[in-house]
Structures are given as C-alpha cells and as structure tokens.
Amino acid sequence: MTDLDDLLGRLTLVEKVSLLTGQDFWSLPAVPHIGLRSLVMSDGPVGVRGTGYTPEDPSVALPSPTALAATWDTAVAERAGRLLGQEARRKGVHVLLGPTVNMHRTPLNGRHFECYSEDPLLTGEIAAGFVAGVQAHSVGTTVKHLVGNDFETDRMTVDVRIPERALREIYLAPFERVAAAGGWGVMSAYNGVNGTPMAANGRLQDEILKREWGFDGVVVSDWRAARDTVAAALGGLDIAMPAMDNPWGPALVEAVRSGAVPEEVVDDKVRRVLRLAARTGALDGHRLPEPPPAEDGDAVAHEVAVRSFVLARNERATLPLRAADLTRVAVIGALATDARVLGGGSAQVTPRHVISPLDGLRAALPGVDVAHAVGADPRPFLPPAQGPDWAPFTFSAEGRDFGVDTATIRWLGDPPGGLPVAAISTLELRTEITPATGGDHVLAVSGFGAFHLVVGGETLYQGALHPPGTGRADLLLHPRERRFTVRLEAGVPVPVLLRQTFEPGMAHSVSTTLGHRAPGPDDDGLIAEAVELAARSDVAVVVVGTTEQVESEGFDRVSLALPGRQDELVSRVAAANPRTIVVVNAGSPVLLPWSEEAAAVLLTWFPGQEAGAALADVLLGVAEPGGRLPTTWPRREEDCPVLEVRPSGGTLAYGEDVRIGYRGWSARPLFAFGSGQGYTTWAYGEIALDGTTARVTLTNTGDRPGREVVQVYLSADRPGPVDRPERWLAGFATATAAPGETVTVTVPLPERAFQVWDDGWRTVPGDYTVTAAHALDAPRLTTTLTLP
C-alpha cells in the first residue's frame, strides 16, 4: 500500500494544483512519476454516459431516481448502483456524478425527477444503498448538490436562505447519511446558501461536512460553479471542474506563493484526490477488492421499473388484465410509441434500445389486436425522423463519417473519433425520405447552433436558432426549434441535408435533431380517432405524460398540468370505454383532474429502457406493481405547501422551515405520501417494540404472492422544545409473502428520529405514538414508546 503522504511530498506545487483542476471536460491529469493515472468522471444518475459521443458503446438507462425511491427498497437501490458501477468500469469511468439527494421541496422543480423524495430519511436510505452498490465496483460517487439546489430558476446565482433547523433536519440530512455510510465524494451546488456561494462555503463544506461529520472524500464543484480562486480554495472545495473558465490552475499556484492560500490547505485537497485515486484503482500500489458478480442491465432496468410503478387507483379490480379475455386493446397517446424514459439535461443517456408501451403490449399479447391512436400529442418539438420512409442516416464531422442510427446527434464532452474540440467547425447529417403518403410534410431543426437545412436541393433554412450572445448554459439547456412545411410526392425519394456549424471551441456540447411529421389529422381529428378506437376495444390504455420541455435540468415548471390536450383525451376516452387504464409517464407529480373517471391509474415515472416490457408485465399481472409514492401528489396545485421557485432580489427564502412535503400539507391530497396498491391484500396483526426497534407482523390475505412496504411513523404526544409535524417517517421495511403466509418485519427506529435541531441535536423525551402504516393516510397498528 503506497503512503499517500510520501506521494504528496514528491509533487511540486504546480503538480499539486493540477490535480485539483480539470484538464478537460471530464477528467483530472495523470502524474506518471508517482503512478497516478487520469481520474475520469461521468454523469450518471440513471446510466453512465461516458465522456463523449460513442454510439457504438450505448448506456443502460435505468428508471428515474423518483422511480428508484418509489421502490422503498434499499436492496433494489444497491443493485441499481452495482449495475452502474459495473457500467462505469466498462466505460473507463472512475467517478459517477450522482446520486442527487436534493429535496422534493416543490413539485415545480424542473429537476424533481432526478431527486428521490420529499422525506429526508427515505432519500438518505435509498441514496446510501445506491452509493454502496456503485462503490462496490471501486467507482466513486459524488452525492449532489450540496446544498439547497432544490429548484432550477437562477440556480447559478441565487442565494438560498435556509433556517438552521430546516438545514439540519431536512436538507443536509441525506448528505449526512451518505457521508456516514462511507460515500467517497460530494458535489457542491451552483447556488449560495445564507450569503455564501456553495463552492466557497467553508461552514458547510469544511466545518460541517469534513470536520463535524468526518468526511474523508473529495468535494468537486458543479461544472463552472467555482468562480473565485481564493474563496473556493479556503471554502472546502477540493476539485474545480471543468477546464474551461477554471479559477484555479496558475491562479491558485500564484495564490499559494503569495500567501493568500496556505500550502497545507492545498495539500489536504491533494491528499483527498490521491485517496480517491487509490480507492478507484487509478493509483499504483493499491489493489482493488473483487467486484461483485456481474449484473444483467436489461434485467435490472426491468426490475426497478416493475418495483417502482405505483398503482394509485384500481376500481372494480380492473387490473390485472386477463389476456384470455382480450380480443382488442386500444393503446392511445403519442408517448405510447415515443416513450419518455428519462428526464432532460445532464441525466440523459443513449440506451441500446427502448421498449415503448405499444411494443411491450404487442409482444406480450400475441394474437390480440393491439391498435394504436395518437389521440393528443404533447410534444412541443417534432420527434426525430424515423421509420420506413427514411433511408439510413450518415453523420460526418470535418469530412469523417461516423455511425448513427437516429436523426439526433448529441454529446457533452469529447467529440467523436478522438477529434479535438477545436478542430470541429462543421457537422453534417445526410439521409433521404421516400414518403409513403404524399402531401404536406413538416420538417424541423432543433438544438442549438447555426444550421443549414437543404431538402431536394432547396435551402429551407440557414441561420442560428438562438439570438447572438446566448450563454453556454442557455444553449445547452434551452434548445429551440424551427419548422418547415414541404410538399412531397408519395414514393418519390428526396435527399435531405442538415449541416451545423460552430464557433471555435464550442463543439464540446452538441445537440442536433432533424424532426419530421407526416400528413395526418388535425388535433381534433386525432382525439376523435382515439375515442372511436377506444369505443370498439375491450380495454383502453391511455399513456399521458410530460415532455423534455416540461421536466428538465435548467428550468422550473410553470404548471403541474399535463401539457397539450391530454386531460381532454383521457376524459373523452374514459367516457367511451369504462375500462380505461391511464398510464402516467411523468418523472414528478402532475395534476390528474380526471382521476375518478378512469378505472385504473398507474404512475410509471420515467421508466427507463425496459418501459414497455415492465408495463406489460404489470398490466397483465405477471408482476405486481411494487411502488409506493415517495412524494405527495396534489389534487390542486394551490394545495401544495411550497410552490415558490422564483427568487426576489437574488434570494429565495425557505420560509416554510421544516414543513415541506407531507410535513406541510393541510389539504387532502389526491394521493398521499407512501400510498400505492398491489394485487393482493394484507392484514396487519401486531406491532411490538424491543427498545427502539419495531416488529410488525402481517399476513397476506389475498390469493397471490405479494409485496408490502411497512412504513413506521412517529408522533409526539406532547409539545417539545420546537414545533414538530403531526407525524414523520421513522423507518420502513419491505415484506413479501405467499397467499395466507404470515411474516414479521423489523424496523429499527434511529436515534435521529427522536431528535430536533435546537442549537445542536437534542433528543426529546416523552411519549411517542408509533404507527405501522400502509401509507401516511392509511395507519394499521399503533403502540406507545416512552423516552425518559
């Protein structure tokens, strides 16, 4: 085992600082003379993207983090982590940039889908399981974003004002849990907290994280969040990423030499980087432990999806369906074929395949007429050109051809083929359309940059989609679209060329899509087609949801309503067919004004690459929907305890203190925290306490095997030193049982569940009601515990 202090002593000041400063978009430099290889990082909350454009090396796409939390299963979270650790190793990645443990403070957060829950205990436990799984492969994690990045509006500059009690009990709690579990990294946020930018926030990053909690890992900045050389160096930050606009490098060397930053501060940071390198196998002399057995990516993605689906409504036992009773199934919705399997922004990856709901049901129902109608299309951008009308696509950069099988070119970091960013000024996408249907076709260009679209030798567009001076972040996170109507003859091939040009050095971030819509009915006609199909079908499965322009990193939502005319579509289909099942394909809560009109409502989040196969298994009863809500779903937007995401004067005050999520609800929500149905029934028999451990006995009283999530809540029977919510989650466990089987689960109640922050952690003595529940609003058993 190499002595890290010995290695540190062999480095010059310039070499030390180089190890704290991104050398490109995703990595730190190697130092061969001490046996240190380059440390490589990658985005990865749902899949490991890697460092650039590699269509020959696609990524497994797991369901969204909200889905993982909806499993309420730390073992499943750990398995998901093991898969992504395995993927990281395969792609040469040492550090995964995740998981995200910011809180579901408000459902308007555009990045809500990338976080776990409105409850800090559930968030922390799922995150700890995920981190353990990733790190079992000797791949580091960076739990993010420390702290207060619970919304996207003005996230680069906003100062979040968080009361100390809420900071400790709610927002820091998941980070503390992961630090205690041995996480190797933390990512600091763009925003400030209580007057200090997080990248320079010594109180939070140094005093609390490193000193109070004993965290021995690294703190890496969010990309381009470090802006002040000395303040960031003295504020607990260890690594500033990426290379562009980096305040360290020569500037930090000079700050050390001038005495503005003590060299021992730099030494501590380097020691942490070397420790991370040793843990991840990037440093000679450090043998890695045996990795866990290999995981099957498709199987893990399928398991997480099935376990996460929340059956929110199931009237007259509509589900599960019996295949033998079906002759025609109507599958309705644009998202039934263009499945929304992940959220927008840095969470995006390109999987090898995506099974749509329509494809999944058709594969599971051979011999049944599974017919599709669009009904209502919520997508503000046209989908990528695809299908039998289109010839294979050819993608080239600076005259070199690269493989591509879609009309979308996207990367963040390294360009294809090892081309340097500075060498790329032009990309071209070439193809040919031979339309089966003549008439007015609509083509579109979306993304960012300057484009030239040529169809049949005629230039349809030449120019930039964004105005001059648009910043890099806005370009990346706010793509735009231009549409063009072209009259085409059936059966006549027409060449199509889309060329994109870049300013020097800007090709590190690319997003280009050629969109297409064939002639067809107008919006009214689409709904009419869907209603007619539903009326003559045994059952109607309507897939509704959000789009990348609604749920994404970089901006917040303006409404919880489903986009487009999807609400109208559901109501009209439900009126035409009483066996209407609505599948809600959204990563976070949306309003469901028609919920009582539908026979069944299944919440599937962003379900990952196996979406359709998992959906078919759940609808047909091959698998039970195992999910429980990790966050409250509102009946009306105004009922939510917190909606404000727009700063005033550069600040946003968390005036609700600890009362976020179910802690702050006064109205009756549509679906309560922790709720969700299965395909069997459970009788809770007994709750007993052994000290601060609850033992709950329950019996599967149905006719098929099932899974129950036993949730244990605490309530204080008399006031304490500070105001407390009516009840709060203290622990949970999953139970599985065959029909008629009785099982007992054990739920430890941690000391922190009985504590409040009152100028320090204080255990509050007194009587507590301990409730074993199916959901927050569905208590089953109670007992009393007294703390002296």
Side-chain angles (χ1 to χ4, degrees), residues 99 187 191 218 254 278 321 356 392 428 576 605 624 664 684 712 775 785:
M187 180 187 289
N191 55 276
V218 300
E254 178 56 33
L321 301 172
S356 71
E428 288 188 349
W605 316 105
E624 183 181 44
Y684 281 62
V712 176
L785 182 152

Side-chain angles (χ1 to χ4, degrees), residues 706-786:
R707 173 180 180 271
E708 174 74 331
V709 178
V710 179
Q711 303 161 40
V712 176
Y713 296 89
L714 293 180
S715 302
D717 290 359
R718 64 174 182 263
V722 297
D723 178 53
R724 306 191 80 173
E726 181 180 346
R727 54 197 175 281
W728 59 94
L729 183 69
F732 59 92
T734 59
T736 56
E741 183 182 3
T742 297
V743 294
T744 299
V745 297
T746 300
V747 184
L749 307 180
E751 181 183 17
R752 186 60 57 82
F754 301 92
Q755 294 180 326
V756 295
W757 182 265
D758 185 21
D759 292 327
W761 288 110
R762 178 183 300 183
T763 299
V764 182
D767 294 333
Y768 289 84
T769 297
V770 182
T771 301
H774 168 76
L776 183 74
D777 64 348
R780 294 293 187 259
L781 301 168
T782 62
T783 189
T784 300
L785 182 152
T786 301

